[in-house]
Amino acid sequence: MVVVTINAGEATDVDGYDKHAYEPFAVTVDLAVFTLRAGALHVLLVERGQEPYAGRWALPGGFVLPEESAETAARRELAEETGLTGSAGIHLEQLRTYSEPGRDPRMRVVSVAFTALLALPPGAPEPHGGGDAAQARWTPYDSAGPLAFDHDRILADARERVGAKFEYTCLATAFCPPEFTLGELQQVYETVWGTCLDRPNFRRKVLATPGFVEPAPTGAARLTGGRGKPAALYRAGTATALHPPLVRPATEGRPA
Amino acid sequence: MVVVTINAGEATDVDGYDKHAYEPFAVTVDLAVFTLRAGALHVLLVERGQEPYAGRWALPGGFVLPEESAETAARRELAEETGLTGSAGIHLEQLRTYSEPGRDPRMRVVSVAFTALLALPPGAPEPHGGGDAAQARWTPYDSAGPLAFDHDRILADARERVGAKFEYTCLATAFCPPEFTLGELQQVYETVWGTCLDRPNFRRKVLATPGFVEPAPTGAARLTGGRGKPAALYRAGTATALHPPLVRPATEGRPA
DNA sequence: GCAAAAGTGTTGTGCCTACACCCATGT
DNA sequence: ACATGGGTGTAGGCACAACACTTTTGC
């Protein structure tokens, strides 16, 4: 076998041998797509129709095409799986790359994993899967049983990253509809962190961070659940970082 | 061309066609290896001996071999480039994956980038490069002129990540020898951040964080530069996260 | 009126910045 | 003696957690 490991540059030996002579690497993307449904964190899963892991659930994903970047491929898969048309504004972020040999029993697959956060509009279409016999479904994170391949680990990594990023970014608005109340934003935090937050302090913190939220142009307020004082509406601001961070309290009681 | 994009699972169509029929993806690793030399941040670069970018400097890296994970390949390359034997304890961390088509003019190369932090022992061997005509050299970060491929961007991303991680992790000890003084640790922070820190406060902060540093078993102290009171020696603790974080002050004066 | 949810005020604690000050060593 | 760097003490300030309180709606 040709030894390329002492090569100092990047791929400088490629010209020297047949590009097709070796077992190729397949490059795929895997997506951990999160949303909030009925006050619980849900993840988008697809059911596999073929071996290996036929009948098992897995993260959606697919091949990176020859002319695509991994980001482009991920956004394309996301649009296909969720059926959402305007996927341009959806928050999509690279998580990390999983490359252990043997993670796919058939061949060498290197997978770039992404995390996506989206808000389901009230009348959003159910995910329809991507053809074949596969179906797609929103699944509560806690019920996302054993998945195919190493997707359990990918999903856990993605979940952890989302929780951590909530502390120092404005990411939480990605789970909210275009206009939302501060109470809804707080519920997003409480659901993702599994903690209770003090409402007055949360409110002050959010409003004191420039660019986190801005009042909705319509001065309108909305009734939360029928009862209670109507809440002011806000929309996501332009800021992306959160200084100072919103610290997650030590694990305490669950939100009511 | 076979349409694989509507496939819901991961690589489920692979069995249906010849694995060698398409232009394969090459998978490489690129390393941004940082160290501190003479009070300045340095990065390990190699000079390319072949086209494209012959004579230009680039980040070290190489192919992922068929039986390797990207992490394994990165650690192997790191050991080869630095000549360090005990590379097991070196901090190595995945940065992100760069997959834009055309980033290598010859073929489709997907590169998993890593960041490595290490302390150069006093008599450390100079990096010897990896064979061919390439040479390797420690270069001040600020002088790391235009690099080959998209390595300027990778290096900038790595640099930013290192600075950010210093705030909320114990990573700074990776730049220190096995035993170090708190003054040395502070200089590490000041060099990486380009700021001045208050010594008494820095000291308290570090010592108040359990597991950040622990006193060296030998009660020995060391003379810093000939002058001044001998400083107590510490070694890196077992903690990895930093609660609460060590906040980087708004960009002010440079360290003396 | 009562419950429920939004929104405002206030107070105490604690951390952290900034600076003054002592200690030990080399020249 | 003095310069240099390590180490300790302390006062002021700012931020935040905790909780009391008012407001506006539905029943």
Side-chain angles (χ1 to χ4, degrees):
Chain A
M1 178 180 292
V2 173
V3 176
V4 295
T5 64
I6 60 170
N7 173 20
E10 177 192 63
T12 50
D13 278 351
V14 165
D15 294 326
Y17 63 82
D18 177 10
K19 298 174 181 178
H20 299 268
Y22 300 100
E23 179 82 4
F25 287 75
V27 178
T28 64
V29 292
D30 285 318
L31 278 78
V33 188
F34 293 107
T35 195
L36 292 183
R37 266 194 155 190
L41 186 68
H42 283 61
V43 63
L44 182 63
L45 296 181
V46 298
E47 188 179 12
R48 291 183 52 78
Q50 302 177 1
E51 290 297 335
Y53 300 103
R56 287 275 282 279
W57 293 86
L59 299 179
F63 285 96
V64 177
L65 299 181
E67 301 302 325
E68 283 181 329
S69 70
E71 282 73 14
T72 305
R75 200 164 287 279
R76 172 176 54 74
E77 294 283 345
L78 178 61
E80 290 173 8
E81 297 290 345
T82 62
L84 263 54
T85 54
S87 70
I90 291 179
H91 178 86
L92 189 66
E93 181 181 314
Q94 204 183 109
L95 177 64
R96 54 158 290 187
T97 294
Y98 297 83
S99 61
E100 278 69 34
R103 53 183 297 279
D104 187 309
R106 291 160 300 180
M107 66 178 295
R108 189 66 198 275
V109 176
V110 168
S111 187
V112 186
F114 287 81
T115 303
L117 268 52
L118 53 89
L120 280 186
E126 282 294 306
H128 47 64
D132 290 356
Q135 51 174 325
R137 187 199 290 170
W138 289 109
T139 307
Y141 176 81
D142 294 326
S143 314
L147 302 181
F149 304 105
D150 54 356
H151 289 189
D152 283 313
R153 186 183 166 205
I154 298 177
L155 180 56
D157 289 348
R159 167 74 230 247
E160 184 184 349
R161 174 85 70 98
V162 170
K165 284 216 122 188
F166 266 40
E167 291 195 5
Y168 58 97
T169 71
C170 302
L171 201 53
T173 54
F175 275 141
C176 293
E179 299 198 336
F180 53 88
T181 69
L182 293 185
E184 289 168 340
L185 185 62
Q186 181 176 349
Q187 280 182 10
V188 168
Y189 271 93
E190 291 178 336
T191 301
V192 171
W193 283 351
T195 59
C196 294
L197 297 174
D198 182 83
R199 192 161 38 78
N201 294 335
F202 178 83
R203 161 182 213 80
R204 267 185 290 262
K205 186 85 175 193
V206 170
L207 294 180
T209 304
F212 192 175
V213 299
E214 54 188 28
T218 68
R222 190 174 51 178
L223 309 186
T224 310
R227 273 188 287 283
K229 179 176 177 177
L233 285 175
Y234 295 86
R235 51 179 54 176
T238 56
T240 167
L242 210 52
H243 290 300
L246 197 62
V247 273
R248 153 170 46 172
T251 312
E252 309 173 73
R254 300 234 38 203
Chain B
M1 179 181 290
V2 174
V3 176
V4 294
T5 65
I6 60 169
N7 173 18
E10 175 192 66
T12 50
D13 278 350
V14 166
D15 295 328
Y17 63 82
D18 177 11
K19 299 174 182 178
H20 299 267
Y22 301 100
E23 180 82 2
F25 286 74
V27 178
T28 64
V29 292
D30 285 319
L31 278 77
V33 188
F34 293 107
T35 195
L36 292 184
R37 268 193 155 190
L41 186 67
H42 282 61
V43 62
L44 182 64
L45 297 180
V46 297
E47 187 179 14
R48 292 184 52 80
Q50 303 178 0
E51 291 296 334
Y53 300 103
R56 286 275 282 280
W57 293 86
L59 298 179
F63 285 97
V64 177
L65 299 182
E67 300 303 324
E68 282 181 329
S69 69
E71 283 74 14
T72 305
R75 200 164 285 280
R76 172 177 53 74
E77 294 284 345
L78 178 62
E80 289 172 7
E81 298 290 345
T82 61
L84 263 55
T85 55
S87 71
I90 291 179
H91 179 87
L92 188 67
E93 181 181 314
Q94 205 183 108
L95 177 63
R96 55 158 291 187
T97 294
Y98 298 83
S99 61
E100 279 68 34
R103 54 183 298 277
D104 187 310
R106 291 161 299 178
M107 66 179 294
R108 189 66 198 276
V109 176
V110 169
S111 186
V112 186
F114 288 81
T115 303
L117 268 52
L118 52 90
L120 280 186
E126 282 295 304
H128 48 64
D132 290 355
Q135 52 173 323
R137 187 199 291 169
W138 289 109
T139 308
Y141 175 81
D142 295 326
S143 313
L147 302 182
F149 304 106
D150 54 355
H151 289 188
D152 282 315
R153 185 182 168 206
I154 298 178
L155 179 57
D157 289 348
R159 166 77 230 247
E160 185 185 348
R161 174 84 70 95
V162 170
K165 284 216 121 188
F166 266 41
E167 292 196 4
Y168 57 96
T169 69
C170 302
L171 201 52
T173 54
F175 274 141
C176 293
E179 299 198 338
F180 52 89
T181 69
L182 293 184
E184 289 169 339
L185 185 63
Q186 182 177 348
Q187 280 182 10
V188 169
Y189 271 93
E190 290 178 337
T191 302
V192 170
W193 283 349
T195 59
C196 294
L197 297 175
D198 182 83
R199 192 160 38 77
N201 294 334
F202 177 83
R203 161 182 213 78
R204 267 186 290 262
K205 188 82 173 193
V206 170
L207 294 180
T209 304
F212 192 174
V213 299
E214 54 189 28
T218 69
R222 189 175 52 178
L223 308 186
T224 310
R227 276 187 286 281
K229 177 177 176 177
L233 286 175
Y234 296 85
R235 50 179 53 175
T238 57
T240 166
L242 211 51
H243 291 299
L246 198 61
V247 273
R248 156 170 43 174
T251 312
E252 309 171 75
R254 298 233 41 202

